[in-house]
Protein backbone atom coordinates (compact mmCIF):
# COMPACT_ATOMS: atom_id res chain seq x y z
CA UNK A 1 0.00 0.00 0.00
CA UNK A 2 2.83 2.36 0.91
CA UNK A 3 4.59 1.59 -2.38
CA UNK A 4 1.44 2.30 -4.39
CA UNK A 5 0.91 5.56 -2.54
CA UNK A 6 4.49 6.68 -3.20
CA UNK A 7 4.25 5.73 -6.86
CA UNK A 8 0.94 7.53 -7.30
CA UNK A 9 2.10 10.83 -5.83
CA UNK A 10 5.64 10.88 -7.21
CA UNK A 11 5.77 14.04 -9.36
CA UNK A 12 7.16 12.28 -12.43
CA UNK A 13 4.43 9.67 -12.18
CA UNK A 14 1.76 12.33 -11.82
CA UNK A 15 3.07 14.28 -14.81
CA UNK A 16 3.22 11.11 -16.89
CA UNK A 17 -0.23 9.80 -15.99
CA UNK A 18 -2.21 12.99 -15.45
CA UNK A 19 -1.07 15.40 -18.14
CA UNK A 20 -3.22 17.39 -20.58
CA UNK A 21 -2.95 14.81 -23.38
CA UNK A 22 -4.12 12.01 -21.09
CA UNK A 23 -7.05 14.12 -19.93
CA UNK A 24 -8.03 14.92 -23.51
CA UNK A 25 -7.95 11.22 -24.41
CA UNK A 26 -10.14 10.39 -21.41
CA UNK A 27 -12.69 13.09 -22.26
CA UNK A 28 -12.83 12.15 -25.95
CA UNK A 29 -13.29 8.46 -25.23
CA UNK A 30 -15.53 8.65 -22.16
CA UNK A 31 -18.26 6.10 -22.89
CA UNK A 32 -20.10 6.78 -19.64
CA UNK A 33 -20.60 10.55 -19.68
CA UNK A 34 -20.43 11.19 -23.46
CA UNK A 35 -18.66 14.53 -23.20
CA UNK A 36 -19.46 16.69 -26.23
CA UNK A 37 -16.65 18.52 -27.97
CA UNK A 38 -15.76 20.21 -31.24
CA UNK A 39 -12.51 19.86 -33.12
CA UNK A 40 -11.61 22.73 -35.41
CA UNK A 41 -8.77 24.51 -37.13
CA UNK A 42 -8.30 28.13 -36.08
CA UNK A 43 -6.45 30.66 -38.27
CA UNK A 44 -3.47 32.56 -36.92
CA UNK A 45 -4.08 35.84 -35.10
CA UNK A 46 -7.43 34.64 -33.73
CA UNK A 47 -8.47 35.29 -30.14
CA UNK A 48 -9.51 32.13 -28.26
CA UNK A 49 -10.11 34.19 -25.12
CA UNK A 50 -10.50 37.92 -24.72
CA UNK A 51 -9.40 39.83 -21.65
CA UNK A 52 -12.24 40.73 -19.26
CA UNK A 53 -14.77 38.62 -21.17
CA UNK A 54 -16.38 35.52 -19.63
CA UNK A 55 -16.00 32.25 -21.50
CA UNK A 56 -17.54 28.92 -20.58
CA UNK A 57 -15.24 26.86 -22.79
CA UNK A 58 -11.93 25.06 -22.38
CA UNK A 59 -9.60 24.48 -25.31
CA UNK A 60 -7.11 21.64 -25.68
CA UNK A 61 -4.35 22.48 -28.15
CA UNK A 62 -3.51 19.63 -30.50
CA UNK A 63 -1.23 21.59 -32.80
CA UNK A 64 -0.07 25.19 -33.09
CA UNK A 65 1.16 27.97 -30.82
CA UNK A 66 -0.74 30.64 -28.87
CA UNK A 67 0.34 33.71 -26.94
CA UNK A 68 -1.10 34.76 -23.56
CA UNK A 69 -1.41 38.54 -23.26
CA UNK A 70 -2.25 40.79 -20.32
CA UNK A 71 -2.91 44.44 -21.10
CA UNK A 72 -1.16 44.00 -24.47
CA UNK A 73 1.90 42.43 -22.79
CA UNK A 74 2.77 38.87 -23.80
CA UNK A 75 3.25 36.83 -20.62
CA UNK A 76 3.65 33.33 -22.04
CA UNK A 77 3.40 31.02 -25.03
CA UNK A 78 1.66 27.67 -25.18
CA UNK A 79 1.53 24.86 -27.74
CA UNK A 80 0.32 21.35 -28.54
CA UNK A 81 -0.87 19.15 -25.64
CA UNK A 82 -1.56 22.18 -23.42
CA UNK A 83 -4.90 23.29 -21.97
CA UNK A 84 -6.25 26.82 -22.28
CA UNK A 85 -8.87 28.06 -19.82
CA UNK A 86 -8.87 25.53 -16.99
CA UNK A 87 -7.44 27.76 -14.24
CA UNK A 88 -10.83 29.21 -13.28
CA UNK A 89 -12.90 26.08 -13.82
CA UNK A 90 -14.40 26.19 -10.30
CA UNK A 91 -15.25 29.90 -10.26
CA UNK A 92 -16.29 31.08 -13.72
CA UNK A 93 -15.16 34.64 -14.25
CA UNK A 94 -14.03 36.98 -16.98
CA UNK A 95 -10.68 35.98 -18.42
CA UNK A 96 -7.63 37.71 -16.92
CA UNK A 97 -5.83 37.57 -20.24
CA UNK A 98 -6.23 37.37 -24.00
CA UNK A 99 -5.15 34.16 -25.74
CA UNK A 100 -4.19 34.73 -29.38
CA UNK A 101 -3.09 32.17 -31.95
CA UNK A 102 0.23 33.01 -33.57
CA UNK A 103 0.06 30.04 -35.94
CA UNK A 104 -2.73 28.04 -37.50
CA UNK A 105 -3.96 26.00 -34.55
CA UNK A 106 -6.01 22.83 -34.11
CA UNK A 107 -8.10 22.76 -30.94
CA UNK A 108 -10.64 20.60 -29.14
CA UNK A 109 -13.29 22.70 -27.42
CA UNK A 110 -15.31 21.49 -24.40
CA UNK A 111 -17.66 23.27 -22.06
CA UNK A 112 -16.09 23.99 -18.66
CA UNK A 113 -19.10 22.49 -16.92
CA UNK A 114 -18.81 19.15 -18.72
CA UNK A 115 -15.06 18.94 -18.05
CA UNK A 116 -15.56 19.75 -14.37
CA UNK A 117 -18.31 17.15 -14.01
CA UNK A 118 -16.10 14.52 -15.65
CA UNK A 119 -13.14 15.38 -13.41
CA UNK A 120 -15.26 15.19 -10.28
CA UNK A 121 -16.51 11.77 -11.34
CA UNK A 122 -13.01 10.44 -11.93
CA UNK A 123 -11.41 8.73 -8.95
CA UNK A 124 -8.21 10.73 -9.48
CA UNK A 125 -9.64 13.68 -11.36
CA UNK A 126 -8.34 16.12 -8.78
CA UNK A 127 -4.77 15.27 -9.84
CA UNK A 128 -5.38 16.80 -13.27
CA UNK A 129 -6.57 19.98 -11.57
CA UNK A 130 -3.64 19.94 -9.14
CA UNK A 131 -1.02 19.54 -11.87
CA UNK A 132 -2.62 22.23 -14.04
CA UNK A 133 -2.57 24.63 -11.10
CA UNK A 134 1.04 23.76 -10.27
CA UNK A 135 2.14 24.38 -13.85
CA UNK A 136 0.37 27.73 -13.86
CA UNK A 137 2.08 28.77 -10.61
CA UNK A 138 5.47 27.74 -12.00
CA UNK A 139 4.83 29.77 -15.14
CA UNK A 140 4.02 32.90 -13.10
CA UNK A 141 7.09 32.43 -10.89
CA UNK A 142 9.36 31.96 -13.92
CA UNK A 143 7.97 35.08 -15.58
CA UNK A 144 8.53 37.08 -12.40
CA UNK A 145 12.15 35.95 -12.14
CA UNK A 146 12.68 36.62 -15.85
CA UNK A 147 11.52 40.22 -15.55
CA UNK A 148 14.07 40.86 -12.77
CA UNK A 149 16.96 40.19 -15.15
CA UNK A 150 18.74 42.89 -17.14
CA UNK A 151 17.65 43.27 -20.76
CA UNK A 152 20.50 41.39 -22.45
CA UNK A 153 20.33 38.41 -20.07
CA UNK A 154 16.54 38.40 -20.27
CA UNK A 155 16.54 38.29 -24.07
CA UNK A 156 19.20 35.56 -24.18
CA UNK A 157 17.21 33.40 -21.77
CA UNK A 158 13.99 33.99 -23.70
CA UNK A 159 15.57 33.09 -27.04
CA UNK A 160 17.15 29.99 -25.50
CA UNK A 161 13.85 28.89 -23.98
CA UNK A 162 11.89 29.43 -27.20
CA UNK A 163 14.57 27.61 -29.21
CA UNK A 164 14.47 24.61 -26.85
CA UNK A 165 10.68 24.37 -26.93
CA UNK A 166 9.86 25.30 -30.52
CA UNK A 167 13.10 25.47 -32.52
CA UNK A 168 14.61 23.04 -34.97
CA UNK A 169 18.24 22.31 -35.71
CA UNK A 170 20.04 22.54 -39.04
CA UNK A 171 23.68 22.88 -40.06
CA UNK A 172 23.74 26.53 -38.98
CA UNK A 173 22.37 26.11 -35.45
CA UNK A 174 18.93 26.07 -33.82
CA UNK A 175 16.36 28.07 -35.76
CA UNK A 176 13.45 29.77 -34.04
CA UNK A 177 10.36 29.54 -36.28
CA UNK A 178 9.54 32.76 -38.09
CA UNK A 179 6.11 33.03 -36.49
CA UNK A 180 7.95 34.20 -33.36
CA UNK A 181 8.32 37.71 -34.72
CA UNK A 182 10.79 40.28 -33.41
CA UNK A 183 7.81 42.36 -32.31
CA UNK A 184 6.32 39.52 -30.24
CA UNK A 185 9.68 38.52 -28.74
CA UNK A 186 10.40 42.14 -27.81
CA UNK A 187 6.95 42.40 -26.27
CA UNK A 188 7.49 39.20 -24.27
CA UNK A 189 10.89 40.43 -23.09
CA UNK A 190 9.38 43.83 -22.17
CA UNK A 191 11.81 45.62 -24.50
CA UNK A 192 11.20 48.49 -26.88
CA UNK A 193 11.96 47.72 -30.52
CA UNK A 194 14.92 50.09 -30.33
CA UNK A 195 16.35 48.29 -27.28
CA UNK A 196 15.63 44.95 -28.95
CA UNK A 197 17.65 45.98 -32.02
CA UNK A 198 20.59 47.19 -29.94
CA UNK A 199 20.73 44.01 -27.85
CA UNK A 200 20.39 41.83 -30.95
CA UNK A 201 23.48 43.51 -32.44
CA UNK A 202 25.41 42.77 -29.24
CA UNK A 203 24.28 39.11 -29.26
CA UNK A 204 25.28 38.77 -32.91
CA UNK A 205 28.71 40.27 -32.18
CA UNK A 206 29.12 37.78 -29.33
CA UNK A 207 28.27 34.94 -31.74
CA UNK A 208 25.28 33.94 -29.64
CA UNK A 209 22.90 34.19 -32.60
CA UNK A 210 22.42 35.51 -36.10
CA UNK A 211 19.28 36.91 -37.69
CA UNK A 212 18.53 35.90 -41.28
CA UNK A 213 15.31 36.79 -43.10
CA UNK A 214 13.89 38.03 -39.77
CA UNK A 215 14.51 34.60 -38.22
CA UNK A 216 16.68 33.99 -35.15
CA UNK A 217 19.32 31.27 -35.37
CA UNK A 218 21.07 30.36 -32.10
CA UNK A 219 24.72 29.41 -32.56
CA UNK A 220 25.49 28.16 -29.03
Amino acid sequence: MSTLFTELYNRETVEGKFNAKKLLDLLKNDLVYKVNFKKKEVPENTELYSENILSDHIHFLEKGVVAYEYEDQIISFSSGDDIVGMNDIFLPKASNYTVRTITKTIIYTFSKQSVLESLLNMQEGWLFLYLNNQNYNILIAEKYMLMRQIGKVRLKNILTDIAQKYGYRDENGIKIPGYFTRKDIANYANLSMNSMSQICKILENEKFCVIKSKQFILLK
Side-chain angles (χ1 to χ4, degrees):
M1 185 69 174
S2 176
T3 301
L4 291 174
F5 185 87
T6 303
E7 179 185 348
L8 177 61
Y9 295 99
N10 175 273
R11 182 167 180 83
E12 290 184 2
T13 301
V14 170
E15 290 177 341
K17 292 183 178 180
F18 303 96
N19 55 49
K21 187 176 185 305
K22 293 290 179 65
L23 177 57
L24 175 60
D25 290 340
L26 286 172
L27 293 172
K28 285 165 54 181
N29 301 309
D30 194 328
L31 300 178
V32 177
Y33 298 102
K34 308 285 186 182
V35 183
N36 294 321
F37 65 89
K38 291 182 179 180
K39 180 181 180 181
K40 59 183 178 180
E41 184 176 276
V42 182
E44 65 177 281
N45 203 32
T46 300
E47 290 187 2
L48 299 180
Y49 287 94
S50 298
E51 198 172 326
N52 299 320
I53 295 179
L54 178 66
S55 174
D56 59 357
H57 291 98
I58 287 176
H59 306 295
F60 288 75
L61 306 180
E62 181 181 79
K63 185 178 181 181
V65 182
V66 302
Y68 291 74
E69 301 171 341
Y70 176 73
E71 296 184 352
D72 297 323
Q73 171 78 47
I74 295 176
I75 57 175
S76 181
F77 296 100
S78 196
S79 59
D81 294 336
D82 285 337
I83 309 174
V84 180
M86 201 160 90
N87 295 321
D88 58 355
I89 192 169
F90 284 108
L91 297 171
K93 60 180 181 179
S95 177
N96 292 325
Y97 42 75
T98 293
V99 180
R100 171 177 59 89
T101 61
I102 63 173
T103 68
K104 185 166 59 178
T105 303
I106 298 175
I107 62 173
Y108 291 86
T109 301
F110 296 79
S111 77
K112 286 186 179 180
Q113 184 64 32
S114 63
V115 173
L116 179 59
E117 289 174 356
S118 294
L119 286 170
L120 294 177
N121 280 293
M122 293 179 191
Q123 183 177 359
E124 296 158 331
W126 66 273
L127 283 169
F128 289 103
L129 295 169
Y130 167 80
L131 189 59
N132 182 76
N133 185 65
Q134 285 291 97
N135 290 337
Y136 179 75
N137 289 337
I138 290 171
L139 183 152
I140 296 300
E142 288 177 346
K143 180 66 174 181
Y144 172 77
M145 295 302 296
L146 190 66
M147 289 301 103
R148 292 175 59 87
Q149 299 169 351
I150 62 173
K152 175 186 165 183
V153 174
R154 186 162 70 243
L155 183 57
K156 285 183 70 172
N157 286 334
I158 284 173
L159 291 174
T160 300
D161 185 56
I162 292 175
Q164 290 175 344
K165 292 179 179 177
Y166 307 102
Y168 55 95
R169 184 178 290 278
D170 67 6
E171 67 277 8
N172 298 313
I174 302 177
K175 288 187 174 182
I176 292 177
Y179 50 77
F180 286 98
T181 65
R182 287 180 64 144
K183 180 180 178 182
D184 280 350
I185 293 175
N187 182 303
Y188 181 45
N190 197 27
L191 296 170
S192 68
M193 290 303 295
N194 184 51
S195 295
M196 174 81 166
S197 297
Q198 292 177 4
I199 295 174
C200 284
K201 289 179 182 178
I202 295 172
L203 296 182
E204 286 188 287
N205 290 335
E206 293 179 351
K207 308 299 183 184
F208 173 79
C209 68
V210 295
I211 303 172
K212 293 182 179 180
S213 301
K214 299 182 179 180
Q215 186 175 13
F216 286 91
I217 305 173
L218 270 60
L219 303 176
K220 297 181 179 180

